[in-house]
Amino acid sequence: METHLEKSIREVMNQPQVTGAMCVDSKGLCLISKGTADPAASGYLSEISRCANHVASTNEDSPVTAIEFGKTQILIKRGDNVTTVIYKDKTK
Amino acid sequence: MAEELKRSIQEIMKTTPGVRGIVIADRDGVPIIRVNDETVPETVMRPGFLSSVGFATEQSSKLGYGVTNHIISIHERHQIVHFNIPPLILSVIADTECNTGILLTLRNELSDITDAVRTAIQVA
């Protein structure tokens, strides 16, 4: 299972502008993190995504939440059991 | 001093929804500071239970993965996160559905308080 997760995260890390990636389980615990993604923030990021789900979600899909900083953008997408977080460097 | 620390703990509890109680105990399971609401079972506060955590921490440290940082146990109504902060054990009791990842950040948020307790113990 971890091998599959590692492979997927590596693919994400190879995309342009991506500096970090993380997967978080339904309890807010970090499953895997690479690059600039901070495992200590996993709980807060999953909770932000959960709140965004309450604001705007359809039966088919959950929203992508974006947190914008000066140079960095954090994208959060909540799945059924796993929340995916991607850190991007906007200056690259 | 104890009242001040309790007030600080209460403030932190207010900012983390779902947290029902926080106990700082020594290695033998004797509670030094405890702040909890009425939903927390009394059994969680017993030295017998808290000392068993210290024992479990010691045993799990022998697995070869280094010193145990925390132990999470999730039950029907509550979840408990025990942090190993030698010579103290910090226990956070929260609702089962509470975000465990956020509970794990309480170790840092409570570090000033645990440092103060540790210093007080060492002086005594």
Side-chain angles (χ1 to χ4, degrees):
Chain A
M1 184 195 149
E2 284 90 357
T3 319
H4 184 66
L5 206 56
E6 289 249 6
K7 189 171 164 252
S8 305
I9 284 282
R10 261 202 305 273
E11 278 173 23
V12 172
M13 288 294 288
N14 286 333
Q15 299 300 311
Q17 292 186 312
V18 174
T19 59
M22 177 162 62
C23 290
V24 184
D25 77 358
S26 57
K27 295 293 289 174
L29 298 170
C30 177
L31 296 172
I32 188 168
S33 79
K34 291 270 185 240
T36 54
D38 179 12
S42 62
Y44 292 112
L45 292 169
S46 77
E47 202 60 18
I48 288 168
S49 166
R50 194 183 65 83
C51 293
N53 240 13
H54 283 301
V55 175
S57 75
T58 62
N59 286 335
E60 301 91 50
D61 218 357
S62 64
V64 174
T65 314
I67 307 172
E68 300 272 351
F69 297 93
K71 291 176 183 171
T72 309
Q73 184 185 41
I74 303 175
L75 300 169
I76 316 165
K77 169 78 175 171
R78 194 178 180 85
D80 286 338
N81 295 312
V82 177
T83 302
T84 310
V85 184
I86 297 173
Y87 286 62
K88 291 178 90 175
D89 187 342
K90 293 193 287 185
T91 59
K92 281 186 183 171
Chain B
M1 181 188 154
E3 285 306 313
E4 245 174 64
L5 293 177
K6 277 187 179 181
R7 267 198 299 276
S8 304
I9 292 173
Q10 278 165 346
E11 287 302 315
I12 291 171
M13 280 173 68
K14 277 182 204 165
T15 61
T16 318
V19 174
R20 298 294 178 189
I22 290 174
V23 186
I24 299 174
D26 68 6
R27 181 62 54 201
D28 299 322
V30 179
I32 298 165
I33 291 180
R34 64 183 219 189
V35 180
N36 64 283
D37 66 15
E38 67 286 348
T39 64
V40 175
E42 188 56 38
T43 45
V44 177
M45 306 296 169
R46 285 187 191 157
F49 173 75
L50 294 168
S51 66
S52 69
V53 176
F55 182 68
T57 306
E58 267 174 38
Q59 292 303 309
S60 54
S61 293
K62 292 176 187 171
L63 289 169
Y65 295 105
V67 177
T68 308
N69 281 332
H70 54 257
I71 295 176
I72 302 166
S73 55
I74 300 177
H75 305 264
E76 201 179 331
R77 283 193 296 270
H78 294 94
Q79 59 177 310
I80 310 173
V81 184
H82 302 281
F83 295 98
N84 179 33
I85 309 169
L88 304 171
I89 297 164
L90 167 67
S91 303
V92 177
I93 303 109
D95 294 335
T96 299
E97 60 272 12
C98 188
N99 189 309
T100 314
I102 291 180
L103 295 182
L104 292 179
T105 65
L106 288 177
R107 183 192 185 111
N108 285 339
E109 291 205 35
L110 291 162
S111 61
D112 288 346
I113 294 164
T114 49
D115 284 349
V117 174
R118 194 163 40 188
T119 309
I121 285 178
Q122 277 159 359
V123 169

Short mmCIF file of all heavy atoms in Angstrom, two decimals, chain B residues 57-118:
data_model
loop_
_atom_site.label_atom_id
_atom_site.label_comp_id
_atom_site.label_asym_id
_atom_site.label_seq_id
_atom_site.Cartn_x
_atom_site.Cartn_y
_atom_site.Cartn_z
N THR B 57 4.67 3.01 27.60
CA THR B 57 5.66 3.85 26.91
C THR B 57 7.05 3.22 27.01
O THR B 57 7.78 3.14 26.02
CB THR B 57 5.68 5.26 27.54
OG1 THR B 57 4.36 5.76 27.54
CG2 THR B 57 6.58 6.21 26.77
N GLU B 58 7.39 2.77 28.21
CA GLU B 58 8.69 2.13 28.43
C GLU B 58 8.84 0.88 27.57
O GLU B 58 9.86 0.65 26.93
CB GLU B 58 8.83 1.73 29.90
CG GLU B 58 9.53 2.79 30.75
CD GLU B 58 9.51 2.39 32.21
OE1 GLU B 58 9.66 1.19 32.52
OE2 GLU B 58 9.32 3.31 33.04
N GLN B 59 7.78 0.06 27.57
CA GLN B 59 7.83 -1.20 26.81
C GLN B 59 7.94 -0.94 25.31
O GLN B 59 8.71 -1.59 24.61
CB GLN B 59 6.59 -2.05 27.11
CG GLN B 59 6.52 -2.59 28.51
CD GLN B 59 7.74 -3.42 28.88
OE1 GLN B 59 8.12 -4.33 28.16
NE2 GLN B 59 8.36 -3.10 30.00
N SER B 60 7.14 0.03 24.81
CA SER B 60 7.16 0.29 23.36
C SER B 60 8.48 0.92 22.93
O SER B 60 8.86 0.85 21.76
CB SER B 60 5.97 1.14 22.94
OG SER B 60 5.91 2.32 23.70
N SER B 61 9.17 1.56 23.88
CA SER B 61 10.48 2.13 23.54
C SER B 61 11.51 1.03 23.26
O SER B 61 12.56 1.28 22.69
CB SER B 61 10.98 3.02 24.69
OG SER B 61 10.15 4.14 24.81
N LYS B 62 11.18 -0.20 23.68
CA LYS B 62 12.11 -1.33 23.48
C LYS B 62 11.95 -1.98 22.11
O LYS B 62 12.61 -2.95 21.78
CB LYS B 62 11.88 -2.39 24.57
CG LYS B 62 12.28 -1.92 25.96
CD LYS B 62 11.94 -2.98 27.00
CE LYS B 62 12.17 -2.45 28.40
NZ LYS B 62 11.65 -3.39 29.40
N LEU B 63 11.01 -1.46 21.30
CA LEU B 63 10.76 -2.08 19.99
C LEU B 63 11.86 -1.79 18.99
O LEU B 63 11.90 -2.38 17.91
CB LEU B 63 9.42 -1.58 19.44
CG LEU B 63 8.18 -2.10 20.15
CD1 LEU B 63 6.94 -1.35 19.69
CD2 LEU B 63 8.00 -3.60 19.92
N GLY B 64 12.73 -0.86 19.32
CA GLY B 64 13.85 -0.57 18.44
C GLY B 64 13.61 0.61 17.51
O GLY B 64 14.37 0.83 16.57
N TYR B 65 12.55 1.36 17.74
CA TYR B 65 12.25 2.52 16.90
C TYR B 65 12.56 3.83 17.64
O TYR B 65 12.05 4.89 17.27
CB TYR B 65 10.79 2.51 16.46
CG TYR B 65 10.45 1.36 15.56
CD1 TYR B 65 9.72 0.28 16.03
CD2 TYR B 65 10.88 1.33 14.24
CE1 TYR B 65 9.42 -0.79 15.22
CE2 TYR B 65 10.59 0.26 13.41
CZ TYR B 65 9.86 -0.80 13.90
OH TYR B 65 9.57 -1.86 13.09
N GLY B 66 13.32 3.75 18.71
CA GLY B 66 13.64 4.94 19.48
C GLY B 66 12.63 5.19 20.59
O GLY B 66 11.77 4.34 20.86
N VAL B 67 12.75 6.34 21.20
CA VAL B 67 11.88 6.68 22.34
C VAL B 67 10.45 6.94 21.84
O VAL B 67 10.26 7.54 20.78
CB VAL B 67 12.43 7.94 23.06
CG1 VAL B 67 11.51 8.36 24.20
CG2 VAL B 67 13.83 7.69 23.57
N THR B 68 9.47 6.45 22.60
CA THR B 68 8.07 6.67 22.22
C THR B 68 7.69 8.13 22.46
O THR B 68 7.88 8.66 23.55
CB THR B 68 7.15 5.76 23.07
OG1 THR B 68 7.63 4.43 22.97
CG2 THR B 68 5.71 5.83 22.61
N ASN B 69 7.13 8.77 21.44
CA ASN B 69 6.70 10.16 21.57
C ASN B 69 5.28 10.26 22.14
O ASN B 69 5.02 11.04 23.03
CB ASN B 69 6.73 10.87 20.22
CG ASN B 69 8.13 11.29 19.85
OD1 ASN B 69 8.95 11.54 20.73
ND2 ASN B 69 8.41 11.38 18.58
N HIS B 70 4.38 9.48 21.56
CA HIS B 70 2.99 9.52 22.03
C HIS B 70 2.29 8.19 21.76
O HIS B 70 2.71 7.42 20.89
CB HIS B 70 2.24 10.68 21.37
CG HIS B 70 2.30 10.68 19.88
ND1 HIS B 70 3.10 11.53 19.17
CD2 HIS B 70 1.66 9.93 18.96
CE1 HIS B 70 2.95 11.31 17.89
NE2 HIS B 70 2.10 10.34 17.73
N ILE B 71 1.24 7.96 22.52
CA ILE B 71 0.40 6.78 22.32
C ILE B 71 -1.03 7.27 22.14
O ILE B 71 -1.53 8.06 22.94
CB ILE B 71 0.47 5.82 23.53
CG1 ILE B 71 1.89 5.25 23.66
CG2 ILE B 71 -0.54 4.70 23.41
CD1 ILE B 71 2.10 4.37 24.87
N ILE B 72 -1.68 6.84 21.06
CA ILE B 72 -3.06 7.25 20.79
C ILE B 72 -3.97 6.05 21.03
O ILE B 72 -3.70 4.97 20.51
CB ILE B 72 -3.22 7.72 19.33
CG1 ILE B 72 -2.27 8.89 19.03
CG2 ILE B 72 -4.67 8.13 19.05
CD1 ILE B 72 -2.13 9.19 17.54
N SER B 73 -5.01 6.22 21.83
CA SER B 73 -6.00 5.15 21.95
C SER B 73 -7.38 5.74 21.68
O SER B 73 -7.75 6.77 22.26
CB SER B 73 -5.93 4.49 23.33
OG SER B 73 -6.06 5.44 24.34
N ILE B 74 -8.11 5.10 20.77
CA ILE B 74 -9.42 5.62 20.38
C ILE B 74 -10.49 4.64 20.84
O ILE B 74 -10.43 3.45 20.52
CB ILE B 74 -9.48 5.85 18.85
CG1 ILE B 74 -8.40 6.87 18.44
CG2 ILE B 74 -10.86 6.36 18.44
CD1 ILE B 74 -8.29 7.13 16.96
N HIS B 75 -11.42 5.14 21.63
CA HIS B 75 -12.46 4.31 22.23
C HIS B 75 -13.83 4.69 21.64
O HIS B 75 -13.90 5.52 20.74
CB HIS B 75 -12.45 4.49 23.75
CG HIS B 75 -11.11 4.22 24.36
ND1 HIS B 75 -10.77 3.02 24.91
CD2 HIS B 75 -10.01 5.01 24.47
CE1 HIS B 75 -9.51 3.08 25.34
NE2 HIS B 75 -9.04 4.29 25.09
N GLU B 76 -14.87 4.08 22.20
CA GLU B 76 -16.22 4.31 21.66
C GLU B 76 -16.64 5.77 21.78
O GLU B 76 -17.15 6.35 20.83
CB GLU B 76 -17.20 3.41 22.42
CG GLU B 76 -18.47 3.16 21.67
CD GLU B 76 -19.39 2.24 22.46
OE1 GLU B 76 -18.87 1.41 23.25
OE2 GLU B 76 -20.61 2.38 22.30
N ARG B 77 -16.39 6.37 22.94
CA ARG B 77 -16.86 7.74 23.15
C ARG B 77 -15.73 8.76 23.20
O ARG B 77 -15.93 9.93 22.93
CB ARG B 77 -17.67 7.82 24.45
CG ARG B 77 -19.07 7.28 24.31
CD ARG B 77 -19.93 7.66 25.51
NE ARG B 77 -19.43 7.06 26.73
CZ ARG B 77 -19.83 5.86 27.18
NH1 ARG B 77 -20.71 5.15 26.50
NH2 ARG B 77 -19.34 5.35 28.29
N HIS B 78 -14.55 8.33 23.60
CA HIS B 78 -13.42 9.25 23.74
C HIS B 78 -12.18 8.73 23.05
O HIS B 78 -12.06 7.54 22.81
CB HIS B 78 -13.09 9.47 25.23
CG HIS B 78 -14.15 10.15 26.00
ND1 HIS B 78 -15.11 9.46 26.70
CD2 HIS B 78 -14.44 11.46 26.17
CE1 HIS B 78 -15.93 10.32 27.28
NE2 HIS B 78 -15.55 11.54 26.97
N GLN B 79 -11.28 9.64 22.74
CA GLN B 79 -9.94 9.23 22.33
C GLN B 79 -8.96 9.90 23.29
O GLN B 79 -9.20 11.01 23.78
CB GLN B 79 -9.64 9.62 20.89
CG GLN B 79 -9.73 11.09 20.57
CD GLN B 79 -9.34 11.36 19.12
OE1 GLN B 79 -8.30 10.93 18.66
NE2 GLN B 79 -10.19 12.11 18.43
N ILE B 80 -7.87 9.20 23.57
CA ILE B 80 -6.88 9.72 24.51
C ILE B 80 -5.51 9.69 23.84
O ILE B 80 -5.10 8.69 23.28
CB ILE B 80 -6.83 8.88 25.81
CG1 ILE B 80 -8.25 8.70 26.37
CG2 ILE B 80 -5.95 9.54 26.85
CD1 ILE B 80 -8.33 7.76 27.54
N VAL B 81 -4.84 10.84 23.89
CA VAL B 81 -3.47 10.92 23.37
C VAL B 81 -2.55 11.14 24.57
O VAL B 81 -2.73 12.10 25.32
CB VAL B 81 -3.31 12.07 22.36
CG1 VAL B 81 -1.91 12.07 21.78
CG2 VAL B 81 -4.33 11.97 21.25
N HIS B 82 -1.63 10.21 24.77
CA HIS B 82 -0.66 10.33 25.87
C HIS B 82 0.67 10.74 25.28
O HIS B 82 1.21 10.07 24.40
CB HIS B 82 -0.48 8.99 26.58
CG HIS B 82 -1.75 8.44 27.14
ND1 HIS B 82 -2.30 8.88 28.31
CD2 HIS B 82 -2.57 7.46 26.69
CE1 HIS B 82 -3.40 8.19 28.56
NE2 HIS B 82 -3.59 7.33 27.59
N PHE B 83 1.23 11.86 25.76
CA PHE B 83 2.53 12.32 25.29
C PHE B 83 3.58 11.96 26.34
O PHE B 83 3.37 12.20 27.54
CB PHE B 83 2.53 13.85 25.10
CG PHE B 83 1.60 14.31 24.01
CD1 PHE B 83 0.34 14.79 24.32
CD2 PHE B 83 1.99 14.27 22.68
CE1 PHE B 83 -0.53 15.22 23.33
CE2 PHE B 83 1.13 14.70 21.68
CZ PHE B 83 -0.13 15.18 22.00
N ASN B 84 4.67 11.41 25.84
CA ASN B 84 5.78 11.08 26.74
C ASN B 84 6.72 12.27 26.81
O ASN B 84 7.45 12.56 25.86
CB ASN B 84 6.49 9.83 26.19
CG ASN B 84 7.67 9.43 27.04
OD1 ASN B 84 7.64 9.60 28.26
ND2 ASN B 84 8.70 8.89 26.42
N ILE B 85 6.68 13.00 27.94
CA ILE B 85 7.55 14.16 28.13
C ILE B 85 8.30 13.92 29.44
O ILE B 85 7.88 14.42 30.49
CB ILE B 85 6.73 15.47 28.18
CG1 ILE B 85 5.80 15.55 26.98
CG2 ILE B 85 7.64 16.70 28.25
CD1 ILE B 85 4.77 16.67 27.06
N PRO B 86 9.37 13.11 29.41
CA PRO B 86 10.03 12.72 30.66
C PRO B 86 10.36 13.94 31.53
O PRO B 86 10.86 14.93 31.00
CB PRO B 86 11.32 12.04 30.17
CG PRO B 86 11.00 11.59 28.79
CD PRO B 86 10.05 12.58 28.23
N PRO B 87 10.10 13.87 32.83
CA PRO B 87 9.53 12.76 33.61
C PRO B 87 8.00 12.83 33.71
O PRO B 87 7.44 12.29 34.65
CB PRO B 87 10.17 12.99 34.98
CG PRO B 87 10.25 14.49 35.09
CD PRO B 87 10.46 15.02 33.71
N LEU B 88 7.36 13.48 32.75
CA LEU B 88 5.91 13.66 32.84
C LEU B 88 5.18 12.86 31.77
O LEU B 88 5.76 12.49 30.75
CB LEU B 88 5.55 15.14 32.66
CG LEU B 88 6.20 16.15 33.60
CD1 LEU B 88 5.91 17.56 33.13
CD2 LEU B 88 5.72 15.96 35.02
N ILE B 89 3.89 12.65 32.02
CA ILE B 89 3.01 12.11 30.99
C ILE B 89 1.87 13.11 30.83
O ILE B 89 1.18 13.43 31.80
CB ILE B 89 2.44 10.73 31.39
CG1 ILE B 89 3.56 9.72 31.53
CG2 ILE B 89 1.44 10.25 30.34
CD1 ILE B 89 3.15 8.47 32.27
N LEU B 90 1.73 13.60 29.62
CA LEU B 90 0.64 14.55 29.32
C LEU B 90 -0.46 13.78 28.60
O LEU B 90 -0.22 13.18 27.55
CB LEU B 90 1.19 15.68 28.44
CG LEU B 90 0.19 16.61 27.76
CD1 LEU B 90 -0.55 17.45 28.79
CD2 LEU B 90 0.90 17.53 26.78
N SER B 91 -1.65 13.77 29.18
CA SER B 91 -2.76 13.03 28.55
C SER B 91 -3.84 14.02 28.12
O SER B 91 -4.26 14.88 28.90
CB SER B 91 -3.37 12.04 29.55
OG SER B 91 -2.37 11.15 30.00
N VAL B 92 -4.25 13.88 26.87
CA VAL B 92 -5.32 14.73 26.33
C VAL B 92 -6.51 13.84 26.03
O VAL B 92 -6.40 12.88 25.27
CB VAL B 92 -4.85 15.46 25.05
CG1 VAL B 92 -5.98 16.29 24.46
CG2 VAL B 92 -3.64 16.34 25.35
N ILE B 93 -7.65 14.16 26.64
CA ILE B 93 -8.87 13.36 26.43
C ILE B 93 -9.81 14.19 25.55
O ILE B 93 -10.09 15.35 25.86
CB ILE B 93 -9.55 13.03 27.79
CG1 ILE B 93 -8.57 12.29 28.70
CG2 ILE B 93 -10.81 12.18 27.57
CD1 ILE B 93 -8.07 13.07 29.85
N ALA B 94 -10.26 13.59 24.46
CA ALA B 94 -11.13 14.32 23.53
C ALA B 94 -12.23 13.41 23.01
O ALA B 94 -12.20 12.19 23.24
CB ALA B 94 -10.29 14.84 22.36
N ASP B 95 -13.21 14.01 22.34
CA ASP B 95 -14.27 13.22 21.72
C ASP B 95 -13.68 12.32 20.63
O ASP B 95 -12.68 12.68 20.01
CB ASP B 95 -15.31 14.14 21.07
CG ASP B 95 -16.05 14.97 22.11
OD1 ASP B 95 -16.11 14.53 23.26
OD2 ASP B 95 -16.55 16.06 21.75
N THR B 96 -14.31 11.19 20.37
CA THR B 96 -13.80 10.24 19.37
C THR B 96 -13.67 10.87 17.98
O THR B 96 -12.70 10.63 17.27
CB THR B 96 -14.73 9.01 19.29
OG1 THR B 96 -14.73 8.40 20.57
CG2 THR B 96 -14.26 8.01 18.26
N GLU B 97 -14.66 11.71 17.62
CA GLU B 97 -14.65 12.28 16.27
C GLU B 97 -13.71 13.48 16.12
O GLU B 97 -13.56 14.02 15.03
CB GLU B 97 -16.09 12.66 15.83
CG GLU B 97 -16.79 13.66 16.70
CD GLU B 97 -17.52 12.99 17.86
OE1 GLU B 97 -17.31 11.79 18.12
OE2 GLU B 97 -18.28 13.69 18.53
N CYS B 98 -13.08 13.89 17.21
CA CYS B 98 -12.14 15.03 17.18
C CYS B 98 -10.93 14.69 16.29
O CYS B 98 -10.50 13.55 16.21
CB CYS B 98 -11.70 15.30 18.61
SG CYS B 98 -10.75 16.78 18.81
N ASN B 99 -10.39 15.71 15.62
CA ASN B 99 -9.27 15.54 14.70
C ASN B 99 -7.99 15.19 15.47
O ASN B 99 -7.45 16.02 16.21
CB ASN B 99 -9.09 16.84 13.91
CG ASN B 99 -8.11 16.71 12.78
OD1 ASN B 99 -7.01 16.25 12.96
ND2 ASN B 99 -8.52 17.12 11.60
N THR B 100 -7.52 13.95 15.30
CA THR B 100 -6.36 13.47 16.06
C THR B 100 -5.10 14.26 15.70
O THR B 100 -4.23 14.49 16.54
CB THR B 100 -6.14 11.97 15.82
OG1 THR B 100 -7.38 11.30 15.93
CG2 THR B 100 -5.18 11.37 16.83
N GLY B 101 -5.00 14.66 14.42
CA GLY B 101 -3.83 15.43 13.98
C GLY B 101 -3.70 16.74 14.74
O GLY B 101 -2.59 17.16 15.08
N ILE B 102 -4.83 17.38 15.00
CA ILE B 102 -4.79 18.64 15.76
C ILE B 102 -4.43 18.36 17.23
O ILE B 102 -3.69 19.12 17.84
CB ILE B 102 -6.14 19.39 15.64
CG1 ILE B 102 -6.30 19.90 14.20
CG2 ILE B 102 -6.23 20.55 16.63
CD1 ILE B 102 -7.57 20.66 13.92
N LEU B 103 -4.92 17.25 17.75
CA LEU B 103 -4.58 16.90 19.15
C LEU B 103 -3.07 16.73 19.30
O LEU B 103 -2.50 17.10 20.33
CB LEU B 103 -5.29 15.61 19.58
CG LEU B 103 -6.82 15.63 19.65
CD1 LEU B 103 -7.33 14.28 20.15
CD2 LEU B 103 -7.32 16.74 20.55
N LEU B 104 -2.42 16.20 18.25
CA LEU B 104 -0.98 15.99 18.34
C LEU B 104 -0.20 17.31 18.41
O LEU B 104 0.92 17.34 18.92
CB LEU B 104 -0.48 15.16 17.14
CG LEU B 104 -0.95 13.70 17.11
CD1 LEU B 104 -0.42 13.00 15.87
CD2 LEU B 104 -0.49 12.95 18.36
N THR B 105 -0.81 18.39 17.90
CA THR B 105 -0.11 19.69 17.97
C THR B 105 -0.15 20.28 19.38
O THR B 105 0.57 21.23 19.68
CB THR B 105 -0.73 20.72 16.99
OG1 THR B 105 -2.06 21.00 17.39
CG2 THR B 105 -0.72 20.22 15.57
N LEU B 106 -1.00 19.71 20.25
CA LEU B 106 -1.11 20.24 21.61
C LEU B 106 0.17 20.06 22.41
O LEU B 106 0.41 20.76 23.38
CB LEU B 106 -2.30 19.60 22.34
CG LEU B 106 -3.68 20.05 21.87
CD1 LEU B 106 -4.77 19.30 22.62
CD2 LEU B 106 -3.87 21.55 22.08
N ARG B 107 0.99 19.09 22.00
CA ARG B 107 2.27 18.90 22.69
C ARG B 107 3.08 20.20 22.67
O ARG B 107 3.62 20.62 23.68
CB ARG B 107 3.06 17.78 22.01
CG ARG B 107 4.36 17.46 22.70
CD ARG B 107 5.25 16.56 21.85
NE ARG B 107 6.44 16.21 22.60
CZ ARG B 107 6.71 15.00 23.05
NH1 ARG B 107 5.89 14.02 22.83
NH2 ARG B 107 7.81 14.76 23.73
N ASN B 108 3.14 20.83 21.47
CA ASN B 108 3.89 22.09 21.36
C ASN B 108 3.16 23.24 22.04
O ASN B 108 3.78 24.07 22.69
CB ASN B 108 4.11 22.44 19.88
CG ASN B 108 5.18 21.57 19.27
OD1 ASN B 108 6.00 20.99 19.97
ND2 ASN B 108 5.15 21.43 17.96
N GLU B 109 1.83 23.26 21.88
CA GLU B 109 1.06 24.36 22.48
C GLU B 109 1.14 24.35 24.00
O GLU B 109 1.06 25.39 24.64
CB GLU B 109 -0.40 24.26 22.04
CG GLU B 109 -0.57 24.56 20.56
CD GLU B 109 -1.96 25.08 20.24
OE1 GLU B 109 -2.54 25.80 21.05
OE2 GLU B 109 -2.44 24.73 19.15
N LEU B 110 1.28 23.14 24.56
CA LEU B 110 1.33 23.03 26.02
C LEU B 110 2.77 22.97 26.54
O LEU B 110 2.99 22.72 27.72
CB LEU B 110 0.57 21.78 26.47
CG LEU B 110 -0.96 21.82 26.31
CD1 LEU B 110 -1.53 20.42 26.36
CD2 LEU B 110 -1.59 22.69 27.38
N SER B 111 3.74 23.20 25.65
CA SER B 111 5.15 23.01 26.07
C SER B 111 5.57 23.97 27.18
O SER B 111 6.32 23.58 28.09
CB SER B 111 6.09 23.14 24.87
OG SER B 111 5.97 24.42 24.31
N ASP B 112 5.06 25.22 27.15
CA ASP B 112 5.41 26.17 28.22
C ASP B 112 4.92 25.66 29.58
O ASP B 112 5.60 25.78 30.60
CB ASP B 112 4.80 27.55 27.94
CG ASP B 112 5.52 28.25 26.79
OD1 ASP B 112 6.63 27.80 26.44
OD2 ASP B 112 4.96 29.22 26.25
N ILE B 113 3.72 25.09 29.56
CA ILE B 113 3.12 24.60 30.81
C ILE B 113 3.86 23.37 31.31
O ILE B 113 4.20 23.27 32.49
CB ILE B 113 1.62 24.30 30.58
CG1 ILE B 113 0.89 25.61 30.28
CG2 ILE B 113 1.00 23.60 31.78
CD1 ILE B 113 -0.48 25.46 29.68
N THR B 114 4.15 22.43 30.39
CA THR B 114 4.85 21.21 30.83
C THR B 114 6.28 21.56 31.30
O THR B 114 6.78 20.95 32.24
CB THR B 114 4.91 20.15 29.71
OG1 THR B 114 5.37 20.74 28.51
CG2 THR B 114 3.56 19.52 29.48
N ASP B 115 6.88 22.55 30.65
CA ASP B 115 8.23 22.99 31.10
C ASP B 115 8.16 23.54 32.53
O ASP B 115 9.03 23.25 33.35
CB ASP B 115 8.78 24.07 30.16
CG ASP B 115 9.28 23.48 28.85
OD1 ASP B 115 9.39 22.25 28.77
OD2 ASP B 115 9.53 24.26 27.91
N ALA B 116 7.13 24.34 32.80
CA ALA B 116 6.97 24.94 34.14
C ALA B 116 6.77 23.85 35.19
O ALA B 116 7.36 23.90 36.28
CB ALA B 116 5.80 25.90 34.14
N VAL B 117 5.95 22.84 34.85
CA VAL B 117 5.70 21.74 35.80
C VAL B 117 6.97 20.93 36.02
O VAL B 117 7.32 20.58 37.16
CB VAL B 117 4.56 20.82 35.28
CG1 VAL B 117 4.39 19.60 36.18
CG2 VAL B 117 3.26 21.59 35.19
N ARG B 118 7.69 20.68 34.93
CA ARG B 118 8.94 19.90 35.04
C ARG B 118 9.95 20.61 35.92
O ARG B 118 10.58 20.01 36.78
CB ARG B 118 9.51 19.68 33.65
CG ARG B 118 10.57 18.61 33.62
CD ARG B 118 10.85 18.10 32.26
NE ARG B 118 10.86 19.15 31.24
CZ ARG B 118 10.93 18.89 29.95
NH1 ARG B 118 10.96 17.65 29.54
NH2 ARG B 118 10.96 19.85 29.07
#
